[in-house]
Amino acid sequence: MNRRDVAELAGSTGLGTWTAFAVLAMSVVAGAGQPLWPDPALLAWAVGHRPEIMRALARGVTATGTGVIPYVLVALAGALVGRTVRQRLLAVAFGLACLATGQALRYGVMELLHRPRPPREAWTAHASGWAFPSGHSTTAALTAGLLILALTLRAPRGGTALRVAVGCWGLTVGLTRVYLGVHWFTDVVGGWLLAIGWLGVCVCAAAYWLPRAFRPEPADSEPQGHAPQDPGREGGSRPA
């Protein structure tokens, strides 16, 4: 895919995701911040299925979606993409800027909507601030998206299992927020949508801004100045 194709795909994906996010946010506002239809049932299920080992595991997973860990992972993704020192520094700076501005955008929406969290008696982890959209879900999804993008650029025809694992991690962090009782499910969905929408904006910008060397060469491309060889003519004489 050339830069224009990448930019159009990222832009259209981002636009569609922003539309879905806007619809969900308006639903939250229309309901005065109260839980939407799937929220109470999912929270009730989580509260009723919390053995100690699962609570401990969920707390461990949810801790990876905040603090310094996402920034370290994004920095490693940038270092993986670059081929020279300058390219690595550019990619790291771009990834960190995408993550930081996405978090700032999420915080602004959260402060604007003021959606309350679930009742405190359902909590089994520390939480602060308003509920929508979920900060852990947004951060983990953005981080996972940037890691998947880096792995795709470096190994476009391999590493599928690793990309799937990274994507599952990003989703699981969000689900642990519901399991631990500190977010409604629609808070988590809002975080995922915001992350995908913002990632689409960032990838669209990167398709034009990042140097050409960041993009993988097509596997079937042939060096210029050399005609393709015909195996059936190997060893034969050239026509006059």
Side-chain angles (χ1 to χ4, degrees), residues 36-91:
L36 302 180
W37 68 266
D39 293 331
L42 292 174
L43 181 63
W45 182 92
V47 171
H49 297 79
R50 284 179 180 167
E52 183 58 36
I53 187 171
M54 292 302 295
R55 287 201 301 267
L57 180 61
R59 291 189 190 105
V61 173
T62 206
T64 64
T66 189
V68 70
I69 293 177
Y71 285 91
V72 171
L73 292 175
V74 169
L76 289 175
L80 178 67
V81 169
R83 300 175 185 274
T84 66
V85 173
R86 181 175 179 273
Q87 288 179 0
R88 292 189 181 101
L89 290 175
L90 283 172

Side-chain angles (χ1 to χ4, degrees), residues 229-237:
Q229 294 183 356
D230 184 355
R233 300 180 60 87
E234 186 174 356
S237 60

Side-chain angles (χ1 to χ4, degrees), residues 99-148:
L99 179 58
T101 51
Q103 288 183 314
L105 180 62
R106 190 273 313 173
Y107 184 80
V109 174
M110 179 188 71
E111 288 295 322
L112 179 65
L113 298 187
H114 282 194
R115 188 189 199 185
R117 291 179 181 269
R120 279 188 175 270
E121 55 267 24
W123 297 14
T124 56
H126 172 73
S128 61
W130 300 101
F132 183 91
S134 166
H136 283 68
S137 304
T138 304
T139 301
L142 269 174
T143 303
L146 290 168
L147 281 168
I148 291 171

Side-chain angles (χ1 to χ4, degrees), residues 1-15 200 203-204 207-208:
M1 297 179 69
N2 58 40
R3 292 186 180 223
R4 182 175 180 179
D5 291 338
V6 171
E8 289 180 352
L9 177 60
S12 59
T13 301
L15 180 61
V203 172
C204 184
Y208 291 107

